[in-house]
Structure formats: C-alpha cells, structure tokens
Amino acid sequence: MKILVTGGTGYIGSHTTVELQNSGHEVIIVDNLSNSNINVLDSIEKISGIKPEFEQFDLIDTEKTTDFFKRNNDIQGIIHFAAFKAVGESVDNPLMYYRNNLFSLVNILQGMKDNNIENFVFSSSCTVYGQPEELPVTENAPIQKAASPYGNTKQISEEIIFDTVKVSGIKGMALRYFNPIGAHKSAIIGELPLGIPNNLMPFITQTVIGIREQLRVFGDDYSTPDGTAIRDYIHVVDIAKAHVIAVERMVNKKMKKDFEMFNLGTGNGYSVLEVIKSFEKVTGEKLNYKIVDRRAGDITQVWADTKFANDELGWKAEKDIDEMTLSAWNWELALKEI
Ligand code: NAD
Ligand code: UD1
C-alpha cells in the first residue's frame, strides 16, 4: 500500500514509517521540518533499508497541498501526525496552534475529498478526557473541556473529521495516545526535543547526561499511593505498530463504523517516582531530582482501558516500563555522539 505519513520525520512519524516499511508498505512523507531534521530520512533508511519518498512543504499552504494530492492521488491511506504539540506554547500563542493544527487538517481532508482518497488516521491524545471520573478510561468517556489550546485542537480536529466523514466517502480513525516515550531499539531514531523539554522522559535523560541540572518532580501531594501523578506511559514502537494495523484495517475495509476511535495505552499507570525508579534500575544511573509544587493544568492520574483496541484492532502494547526507560536512555547516549 502507498501511505502518506505527514510529520513523518518527527518522533512518532519516523517510528511509524519504519514499521510501515517493515510491513511492506510504501511510504511518502510530507513534513515542513519545523520540528524535525532532514537527516531522519537517512536514519530511517539505516534501519529499514529503504529511504522514504519525501516532500518538504507546509500543509497549511493550500495551493501546495492541493497540488501534492493531484500528483499523488494513488495514495491509499493517510496517517496525519503533522501538528504542533507543546502545551505551554499553545497557551502563549493559541492562534499559531489553531492555524497550524486545524488549517493543515482541513487542507488534507479537502485534498482527500477532491481525489477520492478514503482512509485517514489521526493522531489524537488522551488529553481529550481531562481528568476522567472513572479509571481506566474507555473511549466512551465524556470529552472534557480542553485545558489548553493544544488540547482543544485535538478535540476540534476529531469533530472536523467526524463531520466530514458523515458527508463524504472519507473514513476516519482517531488514535488517542497516552504518554509515548522511548525510542527505537537501534537508537538511530528517537525524540528530538527542541529547547528545554516539557515532558518527563526527555527531562530525565537530559538531566542524567548533564544537560539539565535537576529534575523537578511536580507535586507529591496527589491522592496516589506515593503522592506523585500517574500516567500510562507507552513505548513509541508499540504506538507505531498500532498505526500499521489501523491503516490496514481501513484499507481492507474492516471498520465497523466510518469513524472509529481507539485508546493507545498499555492499561498500566506509573507514578513519576516509579518511572524514576525504573530508569535508575535499568541504567544504573542516579537521577538528581527534587519535589516541587504541582504544575498548573496537570491531572492526578489517567490510564487507558485498552480492551476495545485489543479486541477490535488485535493490537496490544508489548513493551514494559523498563524497556521504555532503557531505550530512552540509549537514545540520549546516541545523541551525545551525533
Ligand atoms: P513531532 O513534533 O516530533 O512531529 C511532528 C512533525 O510534524 C514534525 O516533524 C514537524 O516538523 C511536522 N509539522 C508540524 N506542522 C507541520 C505543517 N504545518 N506542515 C508540515 N509538517 C508539519 O511530534 P510527535 O511527538 O511525533 O507527535 C506527532 C503527533 O502526535 C502530533 O499530532 C501530536 O500532537 C500527537 N501526539 C503526540 C504525543 C506525544 O507525547 N508525543 C501525545 C499525544 C498526541
Ligand atoms: C503532556 C500534555 C499532554 C500531551 C502530552 C504529550 C500537559 C498538561 N499535558 O502530558 O497534553 O498530550 O504531554 O506531549 O502538559 N513531570 C514532572 N517533571 C517534569 C515533567 C513532567 O514531574 O519536569 C510529571 C508531570 O507532572 C506528569 C508526568 O511527569 O505527572 C508526565 O508529564 P509529561 O511528560 O509532561 O506528560 P503529561 O503532562 O501527562
């Protein structure tokens, strides 16, 4: 199958490209390199043996996107990763987020409609659930008002896709990721955070390698067993594999509804201190951290009910927390060499 991967040189997109290629699919990447590096194409080739086709342009450019789809109307499925994703930045600059994340989506859906391309997989987030009343959280849990413009772009995007699916031949699938961490086992691709990381895992690895001085653990007074907040961390390669299954399900016409959504998590929650413990155990390194106040906007705990994804997609996350933290560390070590 010929699959368009938007944002394919980014963190999750690059891992997904490798898994698609490993499953025999042809990948064409579109990315404007606003948050990734052209060298990732060579890294992908090093792992899979195949350099993906690549076009560099901004998906908010309607003319370029229209032209791209005219030239590539034989694409069978689209996996749309391209978006901005920094929560704090979205609070400071909401219009930048609404423009980038929503205009690009509209342009792609229009291109699909005009060229009869049917299958669209969308990167959504567990952020749409806010702090769920019941855990583990299922796909039927009520969507809560987004805590940030970034989160709001995910909610609005799901609605845009839903409305489009109702009146066109397009089929949509929203994959709601929990907390993707880790890197490919080769340590040839991984996450490349620009500037000071907001997310826990890259902050841990950068602290231990000496780029940051100390990790601040945001709050130890949550109503959790050790007082720190709990998340469902999931290995990025498990996420990537789910996308291969998702797009194959669509192209092979196995969907039960024209718009489906799935949780991509492991179903296990780990506290911040448990992640640190795993990291220290598997790497033998010591992390310098201190407990500080809670971070504004953080929820206490969330983890996924994965039954629907397990049953319907036949997919299950395979890698445990130790594999996640070790692969993240190996990637940090590899980055030092670059
Ligand atoms: P990333 O920043 O590493 O990758 C996104 C890629 O999209 C980058 O390579 C960037 O250059 C590109 N891009 C952004 N805007 C573009 C545009 N207008 N035109 C063309 N290319 C553009 O991010 P990621 O972590 O790989 O995330 C991928 C997707 O998954 C995003 O939609 C993100 O919101 C979503 N998501 C990520 C996480 C996470 O923790 N990483 C969690 C939930 C959801
Ligand atoms: C954040 C975003 C979410 C986004 C996800 C992936 C917020 C409120 N949510 O989720 O929308 O989909 O990233 O990009 O920003 N922590 C520390 N110290 C740190 C960093 C994090 O203690 O320096 C803690 C946090 O308080 C949290 C956990 O680690 O309990 C995970 O944090 P993070 O990796 O930022 O992810 P989320 O906040 O879950």
Side-chain angles (χ1 to χ4, degrees):
M1 291 174 354
K2 182 172 172 183
I3 309 294
L4 166 63
V5 178
T6 75
T9 44
Y11 174 43
I12 307 174
S14 56
H15 288 83
T16 301
T17 296
V18 166
E19 295 306 320
L20 285 165
Q21 291 174 326
N22 286 346
S23 302
H25 301 302
E26 181 191 340
V27 176
I28 176 164
I29 290 176
V30 170
D31 202 300
N32 64 357
L33 302 179
S34 57
N35 196 35
S36 56
N37 194 299
I38 188 83
N39 300 337
V40 170
L41 297 172
D42 295 331
S43 305
I44 291 171
E45 186 182 12
K46 261 190 215 146
I47 301 173
S48 68
I50 306 159
K51 191 160 180 169
E53 207 182 314
F54 176 71
E55 292 201 23
Q56 180 181 348
F57 66 90
D58 195 324
L59 287 157
I60 72 171
D61 185 324
T62 307
E63 238 172 76
K64 285 192 179 143
T65 308
T66 305
D67 173 64
F68 171 85
F69 278 112
K70 262 193 212 145
R71 288 183 287 108
N72 290 282
N73 58 10
D74 57 340
I75 286 170
Q76 287 156 287
I78 297 176
I79 307 181
H80 179 44
F81 292 107
F84 292 154
K85 60 165 183 176
V87 175
E89 186 181 56
S90 80
V91 174
D92 295 339
N93 204 339
L95 293 181
M96 178 179 151
Y97 272 68
Y98 288 121
R99 184 181 302 110
N100 193 59
N101 294 4
L102 299 182
F103 287 14
S104 57
L105 173 69
V106 170
N107 281 343
I108 293 167
L109 291 172
Q110 187 68 54
M112 292 178 70
K113 191 162 172 276
D114 295 346
N115 294 283
N116 301 314
I117 300 169
E118 277 180 21
N119 304 302
F120 185 74
V121 179
F122 177 68
S123 294
S124 191
S125 167
C126 71
T127 192
V128 301
Y129 299 122
Q131 174 60 69
E133 299 211 335
E134 280 173 40
L135 289 169
V137 63
T138 72
E139 289 81 355
N140 298 322
I143 300 296
Q144 300 202 28
K145 185 172 166 36
S148 69
Y150 164 74
N152 208 19
T153 68
K154 292 300 173 193
Q155 295 188 0
I156 297 170
S157 293
E158 286 198 6
E159 287 171 5
I160 291 174
I161 299 163
F162 183 69
D163 289 343
T164 307
V165 160
K166 277 196 287 195
V167 293
S168 66
I170 296 173
K171 315 262 182 282
M173 201 186 284
L175 300 181
R176 294 173 174 166
Y177 316 156
F178 281 66
N179 286 55
I181 60 170
H184 194 266
K185 64 175 186 298
S186 64
I188 295 173
I189 52 173
E191 190 173 8
L192 273 178
L194 286 183
I196 303 174
N198 292 306
N199 295 121
L200 178 64
M201 202 62 235
F203 209 106
I204 291 177
T205 57
Q206 289 197 4
T207 304
V208 174
I209 209 140
I211 302 173
R212 314 274 154 218
E213 205 179 312
Q214 188 175 51
L215 173 83
R216 292 175 302 155
V217 173
F218 297 130
D220 69 348
D221 56 352
Y222 285 103
S223 54
T224 60
D226 66 19
T228 61
I230 293 177
R231 299 288 183 272
D232 186 341
Y233 298 92
I234 172 164
H235 199 295
V236 65
V237 172
D238 278 328
I239 295 250
K241 286 180 176 166
H243 286 75
V244 179
I245 295 172
V247 78
E248 287 175 349
R249 174 181 172 92
M250 299 189 92
V251 175
N252 295 329
K253 307 214 175 300
K254 297 275 167 56
M255 293 174 80
K256 300 263 167 74
K257 284 194 277 181
D258 290 346
F259 182 60
E260 294 182 327
M261 44 216 162
F262 293 99
N263 284 343
L264 297 188
T266 64
N268 304 311
Y270 286 95
S271 72
V272 178
L273 291 180
E274 285 173 327
V275 174
I276 294 173
K277 248 183 234 147
S278 158
F279 179 86
E280 290 186 332
K281 182 185 76 183
V282 299
T283 64
E285 301 284 340
K286 196 94 198 98
L287 173 73
N288 178 16
Y289 69 88
K290 72 168 177 196
I291 310 282
V292 300
D293 287 347
R294 293 181 181 194
R295 179 172 69 179
D298 273 354
I299 58 165
T300 303
Q301 52 190 352
V302 67
W303 59 92
D305 186 320
T306 62
K307 191 174 183 317
F308 189 53
N310 298 161
D311 293 353
E312 275 300 318
L313 294 179
W315 165 89
K316 198 170 177 15
E318 288 166 356
K319 296 179 193 300
D320 64 18
I321 190 73
D322 290 346
E323 276 181 277
M324 298 181 214
T325 54
L326 183 60
S327 66
W329 179 236
N330 287 337
W331 168 242
E332 188 68 63
L333 290 172
L335 273 179
K336 204 178 166 186
E337 304 302 318
I338 295 173

